[in-house]
Amino acid sequence: MRRVFTLILIIIACASQMFAQLSILNEQGDEITGTTINVQAGVTTDIYFKVKNNGTSDLSNVKAYLRVNDENVTPGQEANATMCTEPGGNCGIPPHSPKFSLAAGAEQLIHLNITTLSATDFVVTIYPSGGSPEANFNIHATTSGISSIVANTFSVYPSPANESFTIENGFGKNSYVEIYNVLGQTVKRIPSDNASNISVNCSTWKNGYYVCRLYKDGKAEKTVKVVVAH
């Protein structure tokens, strides 16, 4: 009987280790598990986050779920959303978000594009298929009390772009934009000169997607993706 009890404890310990090795990070590498991200109700918002395997064993069939009221989001009712593995990964409409594998110590970038319709509070949960919720963060749709991202303008168009694209930046002084390729390398840095529209020549860039990240007072404020296709 004692041996059986010991075996049960070992199984519970192993299961706890397996279901405690995932964490959610922002693009700067800071853990955001359990925090709340505010978005503007009814406005399409791009949210990028990383899923990290902190364990010593590989994981397969990991999935990011978008939920409301403890249920998977119903597209076209609570929200319109897509969830993609980046860079260049698969995309799906929740609850059919793409599954991915994570080697020990590895990270996976996830892109969530969401337009809130009727619901106010959402939760993003991460766990391997068949497991229990591992890590999560909340999304709250509000019409007030949100950051300057809403009050000011930051957009990139057209996408896809051929010869050039325009960055509309209404954040003024102490803001700048950095553009990264799929490898995370900085291809261009655009300081603020109080111009609301800045044209970027991409005629010599390789085809693919690029990330335009806005910084204000040294803090990342918003990220927008642009596709270059010649």
Side-chain angles (χ1 to χ4, degrees), residues 96-167:
H96 306 292
S97 302
K99 298 176 182 179
F100 54 93
S101 298
L102 273 178
E107 297 178 355
Q108 174 64 56
L109 180 65
I110 304 294
H111 173 205
L112 169 62
N113 178 276
I114 180 173
T115 300
T116 59
L117 297 178
S118 60
T120 301
D121 291 288
F122 302 86
V123 62
V124 175
T125 60
I126 310 293
Y127 52 92
S129 296
S132 300
E134 169 76 25
N136 66 81
F137 67 90
N138 301 310
I139 300 173
H140 177 69
T142 180
T143 56
S144 62
I146 52 182
S147 71
S148 58
I149 293 177
V150 174
N152 297 285
T153 300
F154 179 65
S155 60
V156 179
Y157 55 88
S159 182
N162 183 3
E163 297 294 321
S164 65
F165 58 88
T166 298
I167 296 178

Side-chain angles (χ1 to χ4, degrees), residues 9 40 67 83 88 135 172 176 199:
L9 290 179
Q40 187 177 18
R67 292 186 162 177
M83 194 95 71
Y176 61 92
S199 180

Side-chain angles (χ1 to χ4, degrees), residues 20-178:
Q21 59 187 14
L22 290 175
S23 60
I24 303 177
L25 315 174
N26 61 19
E27 290 185 276
Q28 288 71 51
D30 301 319
E31 187 168 359
I32 61 173
T33 298
T35 61
T36 298
I37 296 176
N38 289 330
V39 299
Q40 187 177 18
V43 174
T44 299
T45 303
D46 291 294
I47 298 173
Y48 289 82
F49 60 93
K50 296 177 181 177
V51 179
K52 183 176 182 180
N53 181 358
N54 300 306
T56 56
S57 58
D58 298 347
L59 289 174
S60 60
N61 293 328
V62 182
K63 191 173 181 180
Y65 293 84
L66 179 64
R67 292 186 162 177
V68 60
N69 297 326
D70 295 325
E71 299 290 339
N72 290 333
V73 162
T74 301
Q77 295 185 22
E78 294 98 359
N80 287 330
T82 57
M83 194 95 71
C84 302
T85 54
E86 301 284 358
N90 297 319
C91 296
I93 300 174
H96 306 292
S97 302
K99 298 176 182 179
F100 54 93
S101 298
L102 273 178
E107 297 178 355
Q108 174 64 56
L109 180 65
I110 304 294
H111 173 205
L112 169 62
N113 178 276
I114 180 173
T115 300
T116 59
L117 297 178
S118 60
T120 301
D121 291 288
F122 302 86
V123 62
V124 175
T125 60
I126 310 293
Y127 52 92
S129 296
S132 300
E134 169 76 25
N136 66 81
F137 67 90
N138 301 310
I139 300 173
H140 177 69
T142 180
T143 56
S144 62
I146 52 182
S147 71
S148 58
I149 293 177
V150 174
N152 297 285
T153 300
F154 179 65
S155 60
V156 179
Y157 55 88
S159 182
N162 183 3
E163 297 294 321
S164 65
F165 58 88
T166 298
I167 296 178
E168 186 174 347
N169 178 12
F171 282 73
K173 296 178 63 176
N174 300 322
S175 68
Y176 61 92
V177 176
E178 287 189 346

